[in-house]
Amino acid sequence: MTTDHAPTSGRPTLEQVARVAGVSRATVSRVVNGEASVDPRLRELVERAVTATRYVPNRAARSLVTGRTDAVALVVSEPDPAGDAAAAGALADPVFGRTVTGLLRVFGPRGVQLPVSHAADAASRDRLLAYLGQGHADGVVLFSTRPADPLAERLARGPLPLVLAGRPAGALPASYVALDQRACGLLAAVHLTRLHRSHSAVLTGPVDGAGADPAHRERSAGFSDGVTDHGAPAPALAAA
């Protein structure tokens, strides 16, 4: 490694890093782009030179080489609350905060950014899809408050990998991560029966029709099964 100092002006270049490290520009490029085929000794020289020169990779140029943006879009799909804090939906939901925390813990150490977008209506959905179509992300995580979300269907049919935070209402060609809602209802039933509560009721969200949420339906079914399995009468059901 040479004794060149960090540049005093302008943005450091690959050539400057190569000169400081005493290696070729091609070697620096391979290290910066994360290629595994670089000799560990040379990699260390380049990494020290990057630090010394304060070199920051040009993300646009790097994307052309790697075919990756190192970004995953987190999309929140819900109607605009119009300034009503009580109707803030997913953004005020503690589950949303925990979901984001989990994503950051995984993506952060890997250098993957997590830009957040809000899709509130048809126009904003179109803008989002156009933005993603321009190659600004490598994948999408969709957090939606609507089980039958039209955006989920459009993203699932698109070219980017998609993961839903929650179970979709229908069959979609996409992965999802969700709680076992039936098991949650069953655990609630077991808890109440152990407290010797023999008459119970379930207050849930819509379980049928266009606004139905499969999570409500599965929790109710799990609770009913748990209650009757312990010999208690079937619970009264009411949808709010």
Side-chain angles (χ1 to χ4, degrees), residues 10 22 32 51 58 62 68 118 123-124 136 152 210 238-239:
V32 169
T51 301
N58 184 313
R62 182 177 177 181
R68 302 191 310 270
H118 180 210
S124 59
H136 292 289

Side-chain angles (χ1 to χ4, degrees), residues 59-78:
R59 297 187 67 88
R62 182 177 177 181
S63 293
L64 290 175
V65 174
T66 64
R68 302 191 310 270
T69 65
D70 291 330
V72 172
L74 174 59
V75 178
V76 180
S77 179
E78 65 175 357

